[in-house]
Amino acid sequence: MIKKNKCLLSMALLIGLTACQNDDKNDVESTPVAVVPPPPPILVAFDSDGVLSANIRRTRYGVPHITGDNLQSVGFGSGYVYAQDNICILADQIIKIRSERAKYFGPDKVLGSGDSGNIISDFGHHALAVMVSAKALYPSLSENTRALIEGYVSGYNKYLSDTGVDNLAPHCASKSWVTPITPIDLTAYMFATSQYASGANATFMQLAFLANPGEATEYLPYVGVRAKSASVGQRNDIIKNLELAASTFGDTTIDVGDLGSNGWGIGKDKTENGKGIVLANPHFPHTGHLRFYQSHLIIPGVMDVMGGSLQGFPVHNIGFNQNLGWTHTVSKSRRFVVYQLSLTEANKLQYNVDGETQNITKKTYFVEVNAGSGNSVILSKDYYYSHHGLIIETPPSNGMAWSANNAFTLRDAAEKNTDMIDHWLAMNLATNLDEFQQAFKDFDGIPWVNTMYADDQGNAFYIDKSRVLNLNDAALGLMRTDPVLVGTRQAIGFDILPGNTALFEPDGLNSYQQAPKLLSSDYVQNSNDSYWFTNTATPLSGYSVLYGDDFSPLSLRTRMGLKMLADSAGEDNKFNSAEVEAALLSNRAYLAEAVLDDLISQCQAQGNTPVNLAEGMSVDVTAGCTVLSSWDKLFNKTSSGAHLFREFAYKFNSASQFTVAFNPETPAITPNTLVNDGSALKALAVAIKNIEAAGFALDATIADIQFTEKTMADGSASGTKYPWAGSKHQEGGFNVFSSAKSDDTLYPIHQYLAVSDVESGSLLKSDLTADGYHINSGSSWMFVVNFTDNGPSARGLLSYSQSSNTDSEHSDDQNRYYSETTTLRPLLFSEADISGNIISEMDISSN
């Protein structure tokens, strides 16, 4: 008989394979006990007992490192820290998607302007049905998505409860519109963000607002108005201003502001250590709801990812983990098409598709408008829908009128984007190329951006899997060759397709196999041109025309990036991370490198003979030529005369002032060669006069003339101006900045009025003011990460700082850092780096 082994299992686990000594010599010798390793940690969505907890450690510049046991708890910590730093921005956006801006802030986006912007926004978000869709679709969202959303909402609400409305940041302290939010609110907000470059764009909101089956002159956007408690005079004033605002609508330009970006994924053949490097350089607003927020998300053993996310997103949009990194650039793809419907003869609310009659349906929405003095007005507006989506309309002169024969309707591929969090979560969690690519096979969540990637194995990967409609080959062929379809797209920037045939009917969204992509061992790059020239050695072509045109000219910024990839890697032609950072912040400008020498030669030939401009004006360009002769061709703080070249660049026309035309065989270097017909010197002469009109010396430095400055809660300037290095898109810069006028929030942005162009009389497009160039958009959450044998080594910067709360020490500390150094800072990713640099720590619980 074999006696039971008296050796404790716990001891066996401690010493591994062993034989325990028996206390009876006659016992049969025991069998060795194999150590069973504990199972690896698994990803858990919801907290098991419903009590959420997170540890939050902040390091230098207020960067939060958030640790939780599950997705819900990490989301809880994320929502809490975001609210600490930026609660007023998200509170404003929730009011927007609830269609309550006019209720709280009155009819106008710009107070007292008569622009009726809040009314248009409220009706527009009703018409997009973001709240209705969120309520309907929320139960079908994945468990992971719901856990992150519900955790984030709980964290946000906890901060609001703990702090109290009266003690919030100055922008929203004591405001009645700051209330707890719900998972439905946050889901609706993400749906609207997905449609930012399509249906939620201001242009389409205005065109949907105009749609009316009545006569062409009947653009009355309030098909039934009733007063709640306002006087007749208050009601009539609101309606009159609404009419006036609507009469200005009709522009079909899809404006996403100054959104842009540069992104590189550098592979093993072009790096010194044979591992990947990612350069992330999104150009996004420094204010408002498209600000990035840096954080570090940790679920021990499961998730360890650092990055930047847009507000309301509980996972990172652009970032890196132990094994890989990625970034995005705004894609050239078109996430929508417009269909021209053929109406039936008898009814403007019916249309034909292959002989079958379909109905245009009507929905009526209501918006409450604060009329002042405690009164409000209820407005109602009818919106119209085909089976594709919203009916839109322009005045007849703009070509898309709702006539007796035709109507126009929008098909939006970015609507009801239920995959957004799942898609980015899968990217956050990926540990290798296969897992990263699988995210794009499993999900359609990336709404309007390209993706560049590199990893610790030296792979570089590009894909544009933005949400593009899946059209059949016959339709795509016609879109490339039919003169009317091609001409329309070239004229207005998007497609208007025949709606009277199912030939152009989409079959869902494009698949992973249909998306433009490139796996490379040297590099992939994008600077907002189409996918086709992702790598100079491997041009891509043949994908859906909705992704952008093949063999099309490249922007000067793209050409600058390609030039730096070719010439900035040092003598070995292989990059290290320091060289990539130096390239990013070199503040070179392609146009200067392409034409300045020729411009100076023309100056020298001109001598002191004045350059004649219109209306008898003549300009001696000698002083300007002297300044440009000494300029270093850079836009660093010490660069003298860079602003003169900038103003010249805004007068430069690539189509007419390059003598060598674009060649698709050599797109990185064509067009080129400055024309020598006197037009370049005239452009320089106008630039000189404009700078003089602004009151600046021609040899001023960038530090003298370019700055950032925060806006206070009351709309006034802070008075602290940080000198700012960097170029603009116009001169072919890479590290580019700009001056945004608005940001789709109701936060005020103080403005300096641009001076008038001496040639045209209009305000300068360069935004040069008597105070200089006021920068509030451009390079934002930027980083360079190189993978090493010891994990990721990263440097980065959130150029406008973590917090929008002007009372916070972290509202301008990174502005100051960039202004003083024009460098990136170390990103603290390893536990050793974090623990040695903690400035605060707290544990939060939902109990």
Side-chain angles (χ1 to χ4, degrees):
M1 178 179 177
I2 299 177
K3 295 183 178 180
K4 290 182 180 179
N5 193 328
K6 298 180 180 179
C7 183
L8 295 175
L9 178 59
S10 59
M11 180 63 70
L13 291 175
L14 287 174
I15 65 176
L17 289 176
T18 185
C20 292
Q21 183 176 354
N22 295 304
D23 56 2
D24 189 325
K25 292 181 181 180
N26 295 321
D27 284 353
V28 177
E29 203 161 305
S30 62
T31 304
V33 178
V35 174
V36 179
I42 61 172
L43 182 67
V44 175
F46 284 95
D47 187 273
S48 58
D49 63 5
V51 178
L52 308 182
S53 61
N55 172 262
I56 300 165
R57 296 175 292 173
R58 288 190 185 255
T59 52
R60 287 175 293 175
Y61 302 100
V63 176
H65 306 260
I66 303 156
T67 302
D69 292 335
N70 49 72
L71 290 175
Q72 190 181 17
S73 291
V74 166
F76 177 61
S78 296
Y80 189 91
V81 296
Y82 184 84
Q84 280 184 309
D85 290 324
N86 297 289
I87 188 171
C88 298
I89 300 178
L90 186 51
D92 165 272
Q93 293 297 289
I94 297 303
I95 293 301
K96 179 183 77 173
I97 57 90
R98 288 176 179 169
S99 294
E100 293 180 339
R101 275 189 165 172
K103 173 182 177 179
Y104 288 103
F105 305 115
D108 300 333
K109 182 175 181 181
V110 178
L111 184 64
S113 67
D115 63 19
S116 299
N118 291 338
I119 297 175
I120 307 301
S121 174
D122 287 349
F123 275 126
H125 284 92
H126 273 315
L128 291 176
V130 290
M131 286 293 289
V132 171
S133 297
K135 289 176 185 176
L137 295 173
Y138 189 79
S140 68
L141 299 180
S142 74
E143 186 177 62
N144 289 343
T145 289
R146 287 185 286 108
L148 283 163
I149 288 175
E150 290 173 26
Y152 194 98
V153 166
S154 295
Y156 175 99
N157 289 338
K158 176 177 174 58
Y159 175 76
L160 177 58
S161 175
D162 289 352
T163 307
V165 174
D166 291 342
N167 301 311
L168 297 178
H171 286 84
C172 62
S174 304
K175 301 299 184 184
S176 60
W177 47 270
V178 182
T179 61
I181 65 174
T182 70
I184 301 303
D185 289 331
L186 197 62
T187 302
Y189 173 71
M190 284 187 283
F191 283 178
T193 301
S194 178
Q195 293 180 266
Y196 180 75
S198 50
N201 187 270
T203 295
F204 282 132
M205 283 198 173
Q206 291 174 357
L207 299 187
F209 193 81
L210 289 182
N212 189 319
E215 294 302 317
T217 56
E218 294 180 4
Y219 292 120
L220 302 182
Y222 34 83
V223 222
V225 178
R226 67 179 187 274
K228 184 178 181 182
S229 60
S231 68
V232 173
Q234 288 174 316
R235 183 197 66 182
N236 289 344
D237 285 346
I238 290 172
I239 293 173
K240 179 180 178 181
N241 286 335
L242 195 50
E243 280 187 291
L244 290 173
S247 70
T248 68
F249 298 165
D251 184 8
T252 57
T253 303
I254 307 304
D255 183 10
V256 294
D258 293 317
L259 292 190
S261 298
N262 305 309
W264 294 355
I266 307 177
K268 58 189 174 185
D269 292 348
K270 205 165 176 62
T271 63
E272 289 183 2
N273 71 351
K275 297 179 184 293
I277 296 177
V278 173
L279 162 65
N281 181 216
H283 303 153
F284 271 53
H286 294 186
T287 63
H289 75 118
L290 293 178
R291 283 172 52 112
F292 282 98
Y293 184 74
Q294 184 193 351
S295 66
H296 185 182
L297 307 179
I298 304 167
I299 301 176
V302 177
M303 181 165 73
D304 188 3
V305 57
M306 175 172 281
S309 53
L310 298 179
Q311 68 154 8
F313 281 80
V315 290
H316 290 313
N317 303 117
I318 294 177
F320 62 91
N321 60 32
Q322 186 73 21
N323 305 107
L324 56 85
W326 73 96
T327 188
H328 297 299
T329 59
V330 176
S331 168
K332 274 287 189 183
S333 68
R334 296 181 293 284
R335 280 69 58 180
F336 62 90
V337 296
V338 172
Y339 289 93
Q340 181 174 348
L341 303 178
S342 296
L343 303 180
T344 63
E345 292 184 9
N347 193 337
K348 292 178 72 173
L349 295 179
Q350 291 182 332
Y351 59 100
N352 293 315
V353 180
D354 290 336
E356 296 291 328
T357 299
Q358 300 203 38
N359 293 320
I360 293 174
T361 59
K362 179 180 75 172
K363 294 182 180 179
T364 303
Y365 301 105
F366 298 88
V367 165
E368 182 177 352
V369 184
N370 185 338
S373 304
N375 298 324
S376 61
V377 170
I378 302 295
L379 301 183
S380 66
K381 169 76 175 81
D382 291 341
Y383 281 78
Y384 298 86
Y385 299 82
S386 72
H387 76 283
H388 292 292
L390 274 166
I391 302 293
I392 59 176
E393 183 174 10
T394 70
S397 59
N398 289 31
M400 291 196 298
W402 191 342
S403 68
N405 300 317
N406 299 114
F408 296 82
T409 185
L410 178 69
R411 182 72 172 248
D412 191 346
E415 68 178 359
K416 302 175 184 176
N417 188 347
T418 57
D419 279 356
M420 289 181 82
I421 291 180
D422 281 326
H423 197 149
W424 264 300
L425 175 62
M427 293 161 64
N428 281 229
L429 294 171
T431 62
N432 55 49
L433 176 64
D434 287 344
E435 292 177 1
F436 191 84
Q437 291 174 325
Q438 192 65 42
F440 291 83
K441 296 174 183 178
D442 292 343
F443 303 111
D444 295 308
I446 306 300
W448 34 265
V449 291
N450 304 287
T451 303
M452 279 64 60
Y453 159 106
D455 63 26
D456 58 1
Q457 302 303 303
N459 298 301
F461 177 65
Y462 162 87
I463 187 169
D464 182 355
K465 185 133 185 307
S466 51
R467 288 171 69 95
V468 167
L469 294 170
N470 177 23
L471 299 176
N472 62 66
D473 290 344
L476 292 173
L478 288 170
M479 291 168 67
R480 287 188 180 277
T481 59
D482 182 88
V484 174
L485 298 183
V486 173
T488 300
R489 181 171 67 250
Q490 290 176 344
I492 63 175
F494 56 86
D495 299 277
I496 299 180
L497 302 180
N500 61 352
T501 170
L503 175 66
F504 292 94
E505 191 80 17
D507 181 14
L509 302 178
N510 274 351
S511 67
Y512 176 84
Q513 288 72 25
Q514 294 169 300
K517 53 190 165 299
L518 179 66
L519 178 62
S520 176
S521 58
D522 56 357
Y523 72 85
V524 294
Q525 65 77 38
N526 186 271
S527 290
N528 308 122
D529 279 315
S530 85
Y531 66 88
W532 83 276
F533 215 59
T534 296
N535 182 297
T536 55
T538 318
L540 302 173
S541 65
Y543 294 93
S544 167
V545 69
L546 290 174
Y547 287 110
D549 294 325
D550 302 343
F551 311 116
S552 53
L554 307 177
S555 72
L556 296 177
R557 177 158 54 87
T558 294
R559 291 165 68 180
M560 186 74 263
L562 291 170
K563 189 174 183 181
M564 291 194 299
L565 278 164
D567 70 13
S568 299
E571 294 182 0
D572 60 359
N573 200 31
K574 293 180 183 290
F575 280 104
N576 58 42
S577 58
E579 289 167 340
V580 175
E581 179 179 341
L584 166 63
L585 300 175
S586 63
N587 295 317
R588 294 167 63 178
Y590 189 89
L591 187 61
E593 296 181 16
V595 307
L596 183 61
D597 291 345
D598 288 343
L599 180 60
I600 291 171
S601 294
Q602 292 181 27
C603 274
Q604 291 169 344
Q606 181 75 11
N608 58 10
T609 303
V611 174
N612 295 319
L613 301 177
E615 299 181 2
M617 184 187 303
S618 62
V619 182
D620 183 348
V621 298
T622 306
C625 294
T626 300
V627 167
L628 290 180
S629 296
S630 301
W631 177 44
D632 59 9
K633 298 182 183 178
L634 303 176
F635 283 79
N636 290 326
K637 286 196 302 179
T638 57
S639 297
S640 173
H643 61 304
L644 175 56
F645 187 81
R646 171 174 294 165
E647 294 304 319
F648 165 81
Y650 272 89
K651 292 296 177 181
F652 181 82
N653 186 323
S654 293
S656 62
Q657 291 181 298
F658 276 136
T659 61
V660 177
F662 168 71
N663 183 344
E665 296 296 321
T666 54
I669 60 172
T670 58
N672 60 49
T673 308
L674 184 66
V675 68
N676 190 8
D677 62 357
S679 62
L681 289 180
K682 287 185 177 181
L684 177 60
V686 174
I688 290 170
K689 297 301 291 183
N690 283 335
I691 289 172
E692 291 175 348
F696 287 96
L698 298 181
D699 62 354
T701 66
I702 285 293
D704 296 329
I705 198 170
Q706 185 163 275
F707 62 94
T708 60
E709 183 182 33
K710 299 288 184 176
T711 302
M712 306 305 287
D714 63 0
S716 64
S718 71
T720 301
K721 295 180 179 179
Y722 293 107
W724 207 255
S727 52
K728 291 201 173 194
H729 180 81
Q730 194 74 15
E731 57 253 18
F734 193 76
N735 176 35
V736 300
F737 298 93
S738 61
S739 304
K741 304 298 187 296
S742 63
D743 58 17
D744 199 33
T745 69
L746 296 185
Y747 267 45
I749 301 177
H750 73 280
Q751 304 287 336
Y752 294 97
L753 184 65
V755 300
S756 296
D757 188 338
V758 298
E759 185 176 40
S760 67
S762 59
L763 298 181
L764 287 178
K765 294 181 180 179
S766 67
D767 293 309
L768 176 62
T769 76
D771 287 79
Y773 301 105
H774 176 207
I775 297 302
N776 57 18
S777 186
S779 290
S780 52
W781 164 236
M782 45 184 165
F783 68 79
V784 174
V785 59
N786 188 188
F787 296 94
T788 73
D789 291 337
N790 298 315
S793 174
R795 288 169 58 83
L797 191 75
L798 194 61
S799 63
Y800 40 76
S801 307
Q802 284 282 96
S803 179
S804 59
N805 178 358
T806 50
D807 288 344
S808 169
E809 63 181 303
H810 303 304
S811 69
D812 65 354
D813 49 356
Q814 293 186 71
N815 297 71
R816 189 181 312 113
Y817 179 92
Y818 178 86
S819 177
E820 293 173 354
T821 69
T822 317
T823 63
L824 306 181
R825 57 175 176 79
L827 299 183
L828 307 178
F829 182 78
S830 71
E831 181 57 35
D833 286 341
I834 297 167
S835 59
N837 291 280
I838 294 173
I839 61 174
S840 70
E841 184 170 4
M842 67 184 302
D843 293 302
I844 60 171
S845 171
S846 62
N847 254 356

